[in-house]
Amino acid sequence: MKRSISLLTFAGAAFGSSAMAADLNVTVEVPKLNVAEYHKPYVAIWIENPADSTAAGTLAVWYDAKNREDNGAKWLKDMRQWWRKAGREMSFPADGVSGATRAPGPHKLVFSGAKGALKSLKPGQYNLVVEAAREVGGHEAVRVPFAWGKPGKPASAKGSAELGAVTVSVK
């Protein structure tokens, strides 16, 4: 009897650890800018290892895939940090990653811990990086530190021009 209880306890612990695949909840605000010629920004959202600044995985890339000239992929290089660390190795459109540019306002995203870049992410400290570049506009990157592996309090940072508030929480 004791043996079966300890086996059940072990099995529960083993399944519990794999069932702890958390989700990453992200809110990205694209500010409304009062400019003569407004274009929606291209945005890359990725996870960065703060120890060596390498990309641990790309979560989303918003760009104009319907652009007649090279399907908009030509302008992805304007998100320079992401492009150097992860973008140039990808082919577009990337399944589960690519999406259309977004209008001004807050955008809530949920990334499943059981899929994509989060599936193999080891517990630890990371930065969520959101980088935006806009035609006839500016360029900005916002980093938000977070701990992956267990639920925690939301963390946030705010951009100064091309990005508004960026919030990340592990649920």
Side-chain angles (χ1 to χ4, degrees):
M1 182 74 167
K2 263 189 171 180
R3 182 173 275 176
S4 63
I5 290 174
S6 55
L7 286 175
L8 286 174
T9 305
F10 175 74
F15 287 117
S17 64
S18 65
M20 287 182 57
D23 291 340
L24 194 65
N25 293 356
V26 176
T27 302
V28 176
E29 182 184 3
V30 175
K32 184 172 182 161
L33 302 174
N34 189 14
V35 293
E37 186 178 345
Y38 180 80
H39 297 273
K40 294 176 188 173
Y42 278 29
V43 174
I45 303 169
W46 79 95
I47 297 171
E48 176 183 75
N49 183 340
D52 59 6
S53 297
T54 57
T58 300
L59 298 173
V61 180
W62 302 341
Y63 70 104
D64 187 3
K66 293 183 180 179
N67 185 311
R68 291 182 192 158
E69 188 179 326
D70 194 24
N71 294 328
K74 165 181 173 176
W75 306 106
L76 291 171
K77 297 175 201 163
D78 288 350
M79 295 178 290
R80 296 181 296 273
Q81 293 175 44
W82 166 78
W83 182 257
R84 287 185 199 123
K85 295 176 185 186
R88 70 175 72 176
E89 304 298 323
M90 296 178 70
S91 55
F92 288 91
D95 188 34
V97 174
S98 297
T101 56
R102 309 277 175 104
H107 301 280
K108 296 181 183 202
L109 310 157
V110 178
F111 300 100
S112 170
K115 297 179 186 174
L118 297 175
K119 186 176 182 179
S120 59
L121 192 65
K122 294 181 174 139
Q125 294 296 318
Y126 295 93
N127 289 327
L128 176 82
V129 185
V130 180
E131 184 174 15
R134 193 170 51 82
E135 183 182 352
V136 192
H139 170 270
E140 184 170 31
V142 173
R143 283 177 170 70
V144 184
F146 72 98
W148 179 249
K150 61 181 178 180
K153 293 181 180 179
S156 62
K158 187 171 171 45
S160 60
E162 298 299 327
L163 292 166
V166 175
T167 304
V168 60
S169 64
V170 178
K171 300 273 181 176

